[in-house]
Amino acid sequence: MHKGRLEAFSDAVIAIILTIMVLELRPPLGSTSLVALQPLLPTFLTYALSFVYLGIYWNNHHHMLQSATRVSGGVLWANMHLLFWLSLVPFVTAWLGEGKLAVGPVALYGIVLISAGIAYYILSQMLIRVNGHDSPLARAIGRDVKGILSVVIYAVAIGFAFFVPVVSCVLYTMVALMWLIPDRRLEHVPEGNLPAN
């Protein structure tokens, strides 16, 4: 099964998610003063964090698929599972931006993040299964310590949402910063082991 359609479909879905998210940003009505933007700061900061997260997923998804040579029906469904959770990012972003760090929005934001992280891990494992445990992809991913650590931090952040929601937001930001640089493990897979475009 060729991976081109999977990549093109995933790119299109993520582009649509980003478009939906930016459409949620509304300028202040009836004012042209910069001071009028101040109440929108939490909304913008949440948008920026979510934009970074979606960029991280798009970037690492691209590198992971470039490192794979084959996909299967299971990989397609694992990819759909990841896209499902990513498609919820605009909803939780809007709610968190308007929620003034309330427990519900902060916790739900974390639940979507942890679910997307788990879905990405499942996708990587499905790709390894199809491409072989001795494949360049499998060797590049290795034990995926950073991915597992991210899920642990998300779980801790969700717990904090019920007591000190601001700590949760700091932890969500920490994970994003941890992943901001593309996954070097996949970037360093030798060119000869990558399929022709």
Coordinates of all heavy atoms in Angstrom, one line a residue, residues 32-118:
T32 N -10.8 50.3 18.1 CA -9.5 50.1 17.3 C -8.3 50.3 18.3 O -7.2 50.4 17.8 CB -9.5 51.1 16.2 OG1 -9.7 52.4 16.7 CG2 -10.6 50.8 15.2
S33 N -8.6 50.4 19.5 CA -7.5 50.6 20.5 C -6.8 49.3 20.8 O -7.4 48.2 20.9 CB -8.1 51.2 21.8 OG -7.1 51.1 22.8
L34 N -5.5 49.3 21.0 CA -4.7 48.1 21.3 C -5.1 47.6 22.7 O -5.0 46.4 23.0 CB -3.2 48.4 21.3 CG -2.6 48.6 19.9 CD1 -1.1 49.0 20.0 CD2 -2.8 47.4 19.0
V35 N -5.5 48.5 23.6 CA -6.0 48.1 24.9 C -7.2 47.2 24.9 O -7.3 46.3 25.7 CB -6.3 49.4 25.8 CG1 -6.9 49.0 27.1 CG2 -5.1 50.3 25.9
A36 N -8.0 47.3 23.8 CA -9.1 46.4 23.6 C -8.7 45.0 23.4 O -9.5 44.1 23.6 CB -10.0 47.0 22.5
L37 N -7.5 44.8 23.0 CA -7.0 43.4 22.8 C -6.6 42.7 24.1 O -6.5 41.5 24.1 CB -5.7 43.4 21.9 CG -6.0 43.9 20.4 CD1 -4.6 44.0 19.7 CD2 -6.9 42.9 19.7
Q38 N -6.4 43.4 25.1 CA -6.0 42.8 26.4 C -6.9 41.7 26.9 O -6.3 40.6 27.3 CB -5.9 43.9 27.5 CG -5.2 43.4 28.7 CD -4.9 44.5 29.7 OE1 -5.2 45.7 29.5 NE2 -4.3 44.1 30.9
P39 N -8.2 41.8 26.9 CA -9.0 40.7 27.3 C -8.9 39.4 26.4 O -9.2 38.3 26.8 CB -10.5 41.2 27.2 CG -10.3 42.7 27.2 CD -9.0 43.0 26.6
L40 N -8.4 39.6 25.2 CA -8.2 38.5 24.2 C -6.9 37.8 24.4 O -6.6 36.8 23.8 CB -8.3 39.0 22.8 CG -9.6 39.7 22.4 CD1 -9.6 40.2 21.0 CD2 -10.8 38.7 22.6
L41 N -6.0 38.3 25.3 CA -4.7 37.7 25.5 C -4.7 36.2 25.9 O -4.0 35.4 25.2 CB -3.9 38.5 26.5 CG -2.4 38.1 26.7 CD1 -1.7 38.2 25.4 CD2 -1.7 38.9 27.8
P42 N -5.6 35.8 26.8 CA -5.6 34.3 27.1 C -6.0 33.5 25.9 O -5.5 32.4 25.6 CB -6.7 34.2 28.2 CG -6.7 35.6 28.8 CD -6.4 36.5 27.7
T43 N -7.0 34.0 25.1 CA -7.4 33.3 23.9 C -6.2 33.2 22.9 O -6.0 32.1 22.3 CB -8.6 34.1 23.2 OG1 -9.6 34.2 24.1 CG2 -9.1 33.4 22.0
F44 N -5.5 34.3 22.7 CA -4.4 34.3 21.8 C -3.3 33.3 22.3 O -2.7 32.6 21.5 CB -3.8 35.7 21.6 CG -2.6 35.7 20.7 CD1 -2.7 35.5 19.3 CD2 -1.3 35.8 21.2 CE1 -1.6 35.4 18.5 CE2 -0.2 35.7 20.4 CZ -0.4 35.5 19.0
L45 N -2.9 33.4 23.6 CA -1.9 32.5 24.1 C -2.3 31.0 23.9 O -1.4 30.2 23.6 CB -1.6 32.8 25.6 CG -0.9 34.2 25.8 CD1 -0.8 34.5 27.3 CD2 0.4 34.3 25.1
T46 N -3.5 30.7 24.2 CA -4.0 29.3 24.0 C -3.9 28.9 22.5 O -3.5 27.8 22.2 CB -5.4 29.2 24.5 OG1 -5.5 29.7 25.9 CG2 -5.9 27.7 24.5
Y47 N -4.3 29.9 21.6 CA -4.2 29.6 20.2 C -2.7 29.3 19.8 O -2.4 28.4 19.1 CB -4.7 30.8 19.4 CG -4.3 30.8 18.0 CD1 -5.0 29.9 17.1 CD2 -3.3 31.6 17.5 CE1 -4.6 29.9 15.7 CE2 -2.9 31.5 16.2 CZ -3.6 30.7 15.3 OH -3.2 30.7 14.0
A48 N -1.8 30.2 20.3 CA -0.4 30.0 20.0 C 0.1 28.7 20.5 O 0.9 28.0 19.7 CB 0.4 31.2 20.6
L49 N -0.2 28.3 21.7 CA 0.2 27.0 22.2 C -0.3 25.8 21.3 O 0.4 24.9 21.0 CB -0.2 26.8 23.7 CG 0.2 25.5 24.3 CD1 1.7 25.3 24.4 CD2 -0.4 25.4 25.7
S50 N -1.6 25.9 21.0 CA -2.2 24.8 20.2 C -1.6 24.8 18.8 O -1.4 23.8 18.2 CB -3.7 25.0 20.1 OG -4.3 24.9 21.4
F51 N -1.3 26.0 18.2 CA -0.7 26.1 16.9 C 0.7 25.4 16.9 O 1.0 24.6 16.0 CB -0.5 27.6 16.5 CG 0.0 27.7 15.1 CD1 -0.9 27.9 14.0 CD2 1.4 27.7 14.8 CE1 -0.4 28.0 12.7 CE2 1.8 27.9 13.5 CZ 1.0 28.0 12.5
V52 N 1.4 25.7 18.0 CA 2.8 25.0 18.1 C 2.6 23.5 18.2 O 3.3 22.7 17.6 CB 3.5 25.6 19.4 CG1 4.7 24.7 19.7 CG2 3.9 27.0 19.1
Y53 N 1.6 23.0 19.0 CA 1.4 21.6 19.1 C 1.0 21.0 17.8 O 1.6 19.9 17.4 CB 0.2 21.3 20.1 CG 0.7 21.0 21.5 CD1 0.5 21.8 22.6 CD2 1.5 19.8 21.7 CE1 0.9 21.5 23.8 CE2 1.9 19.5 23.0 CZ 1.7 20.4 24.0 OH 2.1 20.1 25.3
L54 N 0.2 21.6 17.0 CA -0.2 21.1 15.7 C 1.0 21.1 14.8 O 1.2 20.1 14.0 CB -1.4 21.8 15.1 CG -2.7 21.6 15.8 CD1 -3.8 22.6 15.4 CD2 -3.2 20.2 15.6
G55 N 1.8 22.1 14.8 CA 3.0 22.2 14.0 C 4.0 21.0 14.4 O 4.6 20.4 13.5
I56 N 4.1 20.8 15.7 CA 5.0 19.7 16.1 C 4.5 18.3 15.6 O 5.3 17.5 15.1 CB 5.0 19.6 17.7 CG1 5.8 20.8 18.2 CG2 5.6 18.3 18.2 CD1 5.7 21.1 19.7
Y57 N 3.2 18.1 15.7 CA 2.6 16.8 15.2 C 2.8 16.7 13.7 O 3.2 15.7 13.2 CB 1.1 16.7 15.6 CG 0.9 16.1 16.9 CD1 0.6 16.8 18.0 CD2 1.2 14.7 17.1 CE1 0.4 16.2 19.3 CE2 1.0 14.1 18.3 CZ 0.7 14.9 19.4 OH 0.5 14.3 20.7
W58 N 2.5 17.8 13.0 CA 2.7 17.8 11.5 C 4.1 17.5 11.1 O 4.4 16.6 10.3 CB 2.2 19.1 10.9 CG 2.5 19.1 9.4 CD1 1.7 18.5 8.5 CD2 3.6 19.7 8.7 NE1 2.2 18.7 7.2 CE2 3.4 19.4 7.3 CE3 4.7 20.4 9.1 CZ2 4.3 19.8 6.4 CZ3 5.6 20.8 8.2 CH2 5.4 20.5 6.8
N59 N 5.1 18.2 11.8 CA 6.5 18.0 11.5 C 7.0 16.6 11.8 O 7.6 15.9 10.9 CB 7.3 19.0 12.3 CG 8.6 19.4 11.7 OD1 9.3 18.5 11.1 ND2 9.0 20.6 11.9
N60 N 6.7 16.1 13.0 CA 7.2 14.7 13.3 C 6.4 13.6 12.6 O 7.0 12.6 12.2 CB 7.0 14.5 14.8 CG 8.1 15.3 15.6 OD1 9.2 15.5 15.1 ND2 7.7 15.9 16.7
H61 N 5.1 13.9 12.3 CA 4.4 12.9 11.4 C 5.0 12.8 10.1 O 5.2 11.7 9.5 CB 2.9 13.4 11.3 CG 2.0 12.5 10.6 ND1 1.8 12.6 9.2 CD2 1.2 11.6 11.1 CE1 0.9 11.7 8.9 NE2 0.5 11.1 10.0
H62 N 5.4 14.0 9.5 CA 6.1 14.0 8.2 C 7.4 13.2 8.2 O 7.6 12.3 7.4 CB 6.4 15.4 7.8 CG 7.4 15.6 6.7 ND1 7.0 15.3 5.4 CD2 8.7 15.9 6.7 CE1 8.1 15.5 4.6 NE2 9.1 15.9 5.4
H63 N 8.2 13.4 9.3 CA 9.5 12.7 9.4 C 9.3 11.2 9.6 O 10.0 10.4 9.0 CB 10.3 13.3 10.5 CG 10.9 14.7 10.2 ND1 11.8 14.9 9.1 CD2 10.8 15.9 10.7 CE1 12.1 16.1 9.0 NE2 11.5 16.8 10.0
M64 N 8.3 10.9 10.4 CA 8.1 9.5 10.6 C 7.6 8.8 9.4 O 8.1 7.7 9.1 CB 7.0 9.3 11.7 CG 6.8 7.9 12.2 SD 5.9 7.7 13.7 CE 4.3 8.4 13.3
L65 N 6.7 9.4 8.6 CA 6.3 8.7 7.4 C 7.4 8.7 6.3 O 7.4 7.7 5.5 CB 5.0 9.4 6.8 CG 3.8 9.0 7.6 CD1 2.6 9.8 7.1 CD2 3.5 7.6 7.6
Q66 N 8.3 9.7 6.3 CA 9.4 9.7 5.4 C 10.3 8.5 5.7 O 11.0 8.0 4.8 CB 10.1 11.0 5.3 CG 9.3 12.1 4.6 CD 9.1 11.8 3.2 OE1 10.0 11.5 2.4 NE2 7.8 11.8 2.8
S67 N 10.4 8.2 7.0 CA 11.3 7.1 7.4 C 10.7 5.7 7.2 O 11.4 4.7 7.3 CB 11.6 7.3 8.9 OG 12.2 8.5 9.1
A68 N 9.4 5.7 6.9 CA 8.7 4.4 6.6 C 8.7 4.1 5.1 O 8.7 5.0 4.3 CB 7.3 4.4 7.2
T69 N 8.7 2.8 4.8 CA 8.6 2.5 3.4 C 7.3 1.8 3.1 O 6.9 1.9 1.9 CB 9.7 1.4 3.0 OG1 9.7 0.3 3.9 CG2 11.1 2.1 3.1
R70 N 6.6 1.3 4.1 CA 5.3 0.7 3.8 C 4.3 1.1 4.8 O 4.6 1.4 6.0 CB 5.5 -0.9 3.9 CG 6.3 -1.5 2.8 CD 6.2 -3.0 2.8 NE 6.7 -3.6 4.0 CZ 8.0 -3.9 4.2 NH1 8.9 -3.7 3.3 NH2 8.3 -4.5 5.4
V71 N 3.0 1.1 4.4 CA 1.9 1.3 5.3 C 0.9 0.1 5.1 O 0.9 -0.6 4.1 CB 1.2 2.6 5.1 CG1 2.1 3.8 5.5 CG2 0.6 2.8 3.7
S72 N 0.0 0.0 6.0 CA -1.0 -1.1 6.0 C -2.4 -0.5 6.4 O -2.5 0.6 6.8 CB -0.7 -2.2 6.9 OG -0.7 -1.8 8.3
G73 N -3.4 -1.4 6.3 CA -4.7 -0.9 6.7 C -4.7 -0.5 8.2 O -5.4 0.4 8.6
G74 N -4.0 -1.3 9.0 CA -3.9 -0.9 10.4 C -3.2 0.4 10.7 O -3.6 1.2 11.5
V75 N -2.2 0.7 9.8 CA -1.6 2.1 9.9 C -2.6 3.2 9.5 O -2.6 4.2 10.2 CB -0.3 2.1 9.0 CG1 0.2 3.5 8.8 CG2 0.8 1.2 9.5
L76 N -3.4 2.9 8.5 CA -4.4 3.9 8.1 C -5.3 4.2 9.3 O -5.7 5.4 9.5 CB -5.2 3.4 6.9 CG -4.4 3.2 5.6 CD1 -5.3 2.7 4.5 CD2 -3.6 4.5 5.2
W77 N -5.8 3.1 9.9 CA -6.7 3.4 11.1 C -6.0 4.0 12.3 O -6.6 4.9 12.9 CB -7.4 2.1 11.5 CG -8.5 1.7 10.6 CD1 -8.6 0.7 9.7 CD2 -9.8 2.4 10.5 NE1 -9.8 0.7 9.0 CE2 -10.5 1.8 9.5 CE3 -10.3 3.6 11.1 CZ2 -11.8 2.2 9.1 CZ3 -11.5 4.0 10.7 CH2 -12.3 3.3 9.7
A78 N -4.8 3.7 12.5 CA -4.0 4.3 13.6 C -3.8 5.8 13.3 O -3.9 6.7 14.2 CB -2.7 3.6 13.8
N79 N -3.6 6.1 12.0 CA -3.5 7.5 11.6 C -4.8 8.3 11.8 O -4.8 9.4 12.2 CB -3.0 7.6 10.1 CG -2.6 9.0 9.7 OD1 -1.6 9.4 10.2 ND2 -3.3 9.6 8.8
M80 N -5.9 7.6 11.4 CA -7.2 8.2 11.6 C -7.5 8.5 13.1 O -8.1 9.5 13.5 CB -8.3 7.4 11.0 CG -8.3 7.3 9.5 SD -8.6 8.9 8.8 CE -10.3 9.2 9.1
H81 N -7.0 7.6 14.0 CA -7.2 7.7 15.4 C -6.4 9.0 15.9 O -7.0 9.8 16.6 CB -6.6 6.5 16.1 CG -6.7 6.5 17.6 ND1 -5.6 6.1 18.3 CD2 -7.6 6.9 18.4 CE1 -5.9 6.3 19.6 NE2 -7.1 6.7 19.7
L82 N -5.2 9.2 15.4 CA -4.4 10.4 15.7 C -5.2 11.6 15.2 O -5.3 12.6 15.9 CB -3.0 10.3 15.1 CG -2.2 11.6 15.2 CD1 -1.9 12.0 16.6 CD2 -0.9 11.4 14.4
L83 N -5.6 11.6 13.9 CA -6.3 12.8 13.4 C -7.6 13.1 14.1 O -8.0 14.3 14.2 CB -6.6 12.6 11.9 CG -5.3 12.5 11.0 CD1 -5.7 12.2 9.6 CD2 -4.5 13.8 11.1
F84 N -8.3 12.1 14.7 CA -9.5 12.3 15.5 C -9.1 13.2 16.7 O -9.8 14.2 16.9 CB -10.1 11.0 15.9 CG -11.2 11.2 17.0 CD1 -12.4 11.7 16.6 CD2 -10.9 11.1 18.3 CE1 -13.4 11.9 17.5 CE2 -11.9 11.3 19.3 CZ -13.2 11.7 18.9
W85 N -8.1 12.9 17.4 CA -7.8 13.7 18.6 C -7.3 15.0 18.2 O -7.6 16.0 18.9 CB -6.7 12.9 19.4 CG -7.4 11.7 20.1 CD1 -7.2 10.4 19.8 CD2 -8.4 11.7 21.1 NE1 -8.0 9.6 20.6 CE2 -8.7 10.4 21.4 CE3 -9.0 12.7 21.8 CZ2 -9.7 10.0 22.3 CZ3 -10.0 12.4 22.7 CH2 -10.3 11.1 23.0
L86 N -6.5 15.1 17.1 CA -6.0 16.4 16.7 C -7.2 17.3 16.2 O -7.1 18.5 16.4 CB -5.0 16.3 15.5 CG -3.7 15.6 15.9 CD1 -2.7 15.6 14.7 CD2 -3.0 16.3 17.1
S87 N -8.2 16.7 15.7 CA -9.4 17.5 15.2 C -10.1 18.1 16.3 O -10.9 19.1 16.1 CB -10.3 16.6 14.3 OG -11.0 15.7 15.2
L88 N -9.9 17.6 17.6 CA -10.6 18.2 18.7 C -9.8 19.4 19.3 O -10.3 20.1 20.2 CB -10.8 17.2 19.8 CG -11.8 16.1 19.5 CD1 -11.8 15.0 20.6 CD2 -13.2 16.6 19.2
V89 N -8.6 19.7 18.8 CA -7.8 20.7 19.3 C -8.5 22.1 19.2 O -8.4 22.9 20.2 CB -6.4 20.7 18.7 CG1 -5.6 22.0 19.0 CG2 -5.6 19.5 19.2
P90 N -9.1 22.4 18.1 CA -9.8 23.8 18.0 C -10.9 23.9 19.1 O -11.0 25.0 19.7 CB -10.4 23.8 16.6 CG -9.5 22.9 15.8 CD -9.1 21.8 16.8
F91 N -11.6 22.9 19.4 CA -12.7 23.0 20.4 C -12.1 23.2 21.8 O -12.5 24.2 22.4 CB -13.5 21.7 20.4 CG -14.4 21.6 21.5 CD1 -15.6 22.4 21.6 CD2 -14.2 20.8 22.6 CE1 -16.5 22.3 22.7 CE2 -15.0 20.7 23.7 CZ -16.2 21.5 23.7
V92 N -11.1 22.4 22.2 CA -10.5 22.6 23.5 C -9.7 23.9 23.6 O -9.7 24.5 24.7 CB -9.7 21.4 24.0 CG1 -10.6 20.2 24.1 CG2 -8.6 21.1 23.0
T93 N -9.2 24.3 22.5 CA -8.4 25.6 22.5 C -9.4 26.8 22.7 O -9.1 27.6 23.6 CB -7.7 25.8 21.1 OG1 -6.8 24.7 20.9 CG2 -7.0 27.1 21.1
A94 N -10.5 26.8 22.0 CA -11.5 27.8 22.2 C -12.0 27.8 23.6 O -12.2 28.9 24.3 CB -12.6 27.7 21.2
W95 N -12.3 26.7 24.2 CA -12.9 26.6 25.5 C -11.9 27.0 26.6 O -12.2 27.8 27.5 CB -13.4 25.2 25.8 CG -14.4 25.1 27.0 CD1 -15.2 26.1 27.4 CD2 -14.6 24.0 27.8 NE1 -15.9 25.6 28.5 CE2 -15.6 24.3 28.7 CE3 -14.0 22.7 27.9 CZ2 -16.0 23.4 29.7 CZ3 -14.5 21.8 28.8 CH2 -15.5 22.2 29.7
L96 N -10.6 26.6 26.4 CA -9.6 27.0 27.4 C -9.3 28.5 27.3 O -9.1 29.1 28.3 CB -8.3 26.2 27.1 CG -7.1 26.5 28.0 CD1 -7.4 26.2 29.4 CD2 -5.9 25.7 27.5
G97 N -9.3 29.0 26.1 CA -9.1 30.4 25.9 C -10.1 31.3 26.6 O -9.8 32.4 27.0
E98 N -11.3 30.8 26.6 CA -12.4 31.6 27.2 C -12.7 31.2 28.7 O -13.5 31.8 29.3 CB -13.7 31.4 26.4 CG -13.6 32.0 25.0 CD -14.8 31.7 24.2 OE1 -15.8 31.2 24.7 OE2 -14.8 31.9 22.9
G99 N -12.1 30.1 29.1 CA -12.4 29.5 30.4 C -11.8 30.1 31.6 O -12.0 29.7 32.7
K100 N -10.8 31.0 31.4 CA -10.2 31.7 32.6 C -9.6 30.7 33.5 O -9.7 30.7 34.7 CB -11.1 32.6 33.3 CG -11.6 33.8 32.4 CD -12.5 34.7 33.2 CE -12.9 35.9 32.4 NZ -13.5 35.6 31.1
L101 N -8.9 29.7 33.0 CA -8.2 28.6 33.7 C -9.1 27.9 34.7 O -8.7 27.5 35.8 CB -7.0 29.2 34.5 CG -5.9 29.8 33.7 CD1 -4.8 30.3 34.6 CD2 -5.3 28.7 32.7
A102 N -10.3 27.6 34.2 CA -11.3 26.8 35.0 C -10.9 25.3 34.9 O -10.2 24.9 33.9 CB -12.7 27.0 34.5
V103 N -11.3 24.5 35.8 CA -10.9 23.1 35.9 C -11.3 22.4 34.6 O -10.5 21.7 34.0 CB -11.5 22.5 37.1 CG1 -11.3 20.9 37.1 CG2 -11.0 23.0 38.4
G104 N -12.5 22.5 34.2 CA -13.0 21.7 33.1 C -12.2 21.9 31.8 O -11.7 21.0 31.2
P105 N -12.1 23.2 31.3 CA -11.3 23.4 30.1 C -9.8 23.0 30.2 O -9.3 22.4 29.3 CB -11.4 24.9 29.9 CG -12.6 25.3 30.6 CD -12.7 24.4 31.8
V106 N -9.2 23.3 31.4 CA -7.8 22.9 31.5 C -7.6 21.4 31.5 O -6.7 20.9 30.8 CB -7.2 23.5 32.8 CG1 -5.8 23.0 33.1 CG2 -7.2 25.0 32.7
A107 N -8.5 20.7 32.2 CA -8.4 19.2 32.2 C -8.7 18.6 30.8 O -8.0 17.7 30.4 CB -9.4 18.6 33.3
L108 N -9.7 19.1 30.2 CA -10.1 18.6 28.9 C -9.0 18.8 27.8 O -8.7 18.0 27.0 CB -11.4 19.1 28.4 CG -12.0 18.4 27.1 CD1 -12.2 16.9 27.3 CD2 -13.3 19.1 26.7
Y109 N -8.4 20.0 27.9 CA -7.2 20.3 27.0 C -6.2 19.2 27.2 O -5.6 18.7 26.2 CB -6.7 21.7 27.3 CG -5.7 22.2 26.3 CD1 -6.2 22.8 25.2 CD2 -4.4 22.1 26.5 CE1 -5.3 23.3 24.2 CE2 -3.4 22.6 25.6 CZ -3.9 23.2 24.5 OH -3.0 23.7 23.5
G110 N -5.9 18.9 28.4 CA -4.9 17.8 28.7 C -5.3 16.5 28.3 O -4.5 15.7 27.8
I111 N -6.6 16.2 28.4 CA -7.1 14.8 28.0 C -6.9 14.7 26.5 O -6.5 13.6 26.0 CB -8.6 14.7 28.4 CG1 -8.6 14.5 29.9 CG2 -9.2 13.5 27.7 CD1 -10.0 14.6 30.5
V112 N -7.2 15.8 25.7 CA -7.0 15.7 24.3 C -5.5 15.6 23.9 O -5.1 14.8 23.1 CB -7.6 17.0 23.6 CG1 -7.2 17.0 22.1 CG2 -9.1 16.9 23.7
L113 N -4.6 16.3 24.7 CA -3.2 16.2 24.4 C -2.7 14.8 24.7 O -1.9 14.2 23.9 CB -2.4 17.2 25.3 CG -2.6 18.7 24.9 CD1 -1.8 19.6 25.8 CD2 -2.2 19.0 23.4
I114 N -3.1 14.2 25.9 CA -2.6 12.9 26.2 C -3.1 11.9 25.2 O -2.4 10.9 24.8 CB -2.9 12.5 27.7 CG1 -2.0 11.3 28.1 CG2 -4.4 12.2 27.9 CD1 -2.1 11.1 29.6
S115 N -4.3 12.0 24.8 CA -4.9 11.1 23.8 C -4.2 11.2 22.5 O -4.0 10.1 21.8 CB -6.4 11.4 23.7 OG -7.1 11.2 24.9
A116 N -3.9 12.4 22.0 CA -3.1 12.5 20.8 C -1.7 11.9 20.9 O -1.2 11.3 20.0 CB -3.0 14.0 20.4
G117 N -1.1 12.1 22.1 CA 0.2 11.5 22.3 C 0.2 10.0 22.3 O 1.1 9.4 21.7
I118 N -0.8 9.4 22.9 CA -1.0 8.0 22.9 C -1.3 7.5 21.4 O -0.7 6.5 21.0 CB -2.1 7.5 23.9 CG1 -1.6 7.7 25.3 CG2 -2.5 6.1 23.6 CD1 -2.7 7.6 26.3

